[in-house]
Amino acid sequence: MSEQKAKDSHLNRLDSPSSLKQSDNVVKYNHSIKEILDALEIQKRKFGRHHPTVTKSLHSLALEYKAQKQYEKTLQCLREALCILDERLETLVKEVKEEMDIQTNDSEPDENAKYAITIIKEHASKITRAYMTHLLEEKSVMYACLGNISKDRKMYKEAMDNYLQSLGMLVEADFSGQSPRVSMLVRIMKRTEQERKAFCNKDHDS
């Protein structure tokens, strides 16, 4: 593995072969999944669906399912996490509007993500803006994971769409073009396009 690929490996850290036997892996992953599911149930019951630990546990659970190539369960976890993050962002916007007494017309796109982000950037406190940035970063990670799953399944168009969504979240969070996170995603997208072309050429030759 090159030094550059090593830097990006955390986005695909469960894709690499393990030194353990496959049967041992299954036991380990099943044990991890049960532990995460138990923790997730406690978190939802004790703290509520919108507690930050819930999306983190859903992400961890998605990675475990992905390691076993249980892609549908992986997708369910990531989509639920994205839904929760969207709900948290909507709640944040409502709180900012109420606090600042911002009046909006029915015609204004309150549910539009970019509009919501603009409201926070223009009217919220520094702490609230930092919280919004954290939510956008989390969404970026979820979309990147969705992209990895699509790439694993040779669904390159879907992979690129999700990577673009991930990149868009970082842009909305005001990450610069020179940011390591942005640069990393750009490199992953380039490698995905290379894989797509190689796959298409191989399919054409056969």
Side-chain angles (χ1 to χ4, degrees):
M1 178 181 291
S2 68
E3 180 181 353
Q4 194 62 68
K5 287 187 177 181
K7 291 181 180 179
D8 302 343
S9 62
H10 68 281
L11 281 180
N12 295 283
R13 60 185 177 276
L14 292 178
D15 296 340
S16 302
S18 171
S19 60
L20 297 174
K21 295 180 181 179
Q22 185 174 2
S23 59
D24 293 337
N25 273 335
V26 171
V27 172
K28 179 175 75 70
Y29 289 132
N30 284 339
H31 182 63
S32 298
I33 286 171
K34 184 181 184 306
E35 288 179 340
I36 297 171
L37 283 171
D38 289 344
L40 186 59
E41 182 182 352
I42 293 171
Q43 289 162 357
K44 287 182 176 180
R45 185 175 66 250
K46 186 173 181 179
F47 303 119
R49 169 182 166 86
H50 293 131
H51 194 271
T53 57
V54 172
T55 50
K56 294 183 185 302
S57 291
L58 284 168
H59 180 224
S60 297
L61 189 58
L63 292 176
E64 296 292 347
Y65 281 135
K66 180 176 179 287
Q68 293 194 44
K69 300 190 184 302
Q70 297 187 47
Y71 293 123
E72 290 307 316
K73 289 184 177 180
T74 306
L75 292 173
Q76 288 174 10
C77 292
L78 294 173
R79 287 167 180 162
E80 183 180 354
L82 281 169
C83 182
I84 291 172
L85 291 169
D86 283 336
E87 290 169 359
R88 286 167 62 187
L89 185 58
E90 288 172 11
T91 299
L92 187 62
V93 172
K94 290 178 182 178
E95 290 174 353
V96 171
K97 288 168 64 178
E98 290 173 1
E99 181 180 343
M100 303 301 297
D101 195 25
I102 300 170
Q103 302 297 321
T104 57
N105 299 322
D106 292 338
S107 60
E108 290 181 313
D110 282 15
E111 301 304 319
N112 183 273
K114 289 186 177 180
Y115 175 78
I117 292 167
T118 300
I119 287 286
I120 295 174
K121 285 182 177 179
E122 292 182 353
H123 300 281
S125 67
K126 184 176 181 180
I127 293 175
T128 301
R129 292 198 302 272
Y131 176 57
M132 179 198 69
T133 297
H134 173 74
L135 292 177
L136 293 173
E137 285 186 73
E138 273 204 76
K139 288 186 68 175
S140 175
V141 170
M142 301 305 170
Y143 278 120
C145 288
L146 286 171
N148 291 339
I149 294 166
S150 296
K151 183 163 68 74
D152 286 352
R153 303 171 81 178
K154 313 300 181 185
M155 300 164 64
Y156 294 107
K157 181 182 182 304
E158 289 82 355
M160 291 297 285
D161 288 345
N162 282 304
Y163 288 142
L164 282 171
Q165 288 274 26
S166 179
L167 186 61
M169 294 298 102
L170 295 180
V171 172
E172 292 292 354
D174 293 331
F175 279 70
S176 70
Q178 286 71 45
S179 163
R181 292 278 296 277
V182 172
S183 299
M184 176 177 60
L185 266 171
V186 171
R187 290 194 299 270
I188 290 172
M189 290 168 69
K190 287 181 179 178
R191 289 206 299 268
T192 300
E193 178 60 15
Q194 291 171 356
E195 288 184 26
R196 184 194 69 80
K197 289 180 179 179
F199 180 77
C200 289
N201 290 336
K202 181 179 179 181
D203 189 56
H204 183 266
D205 293 341
S206 61

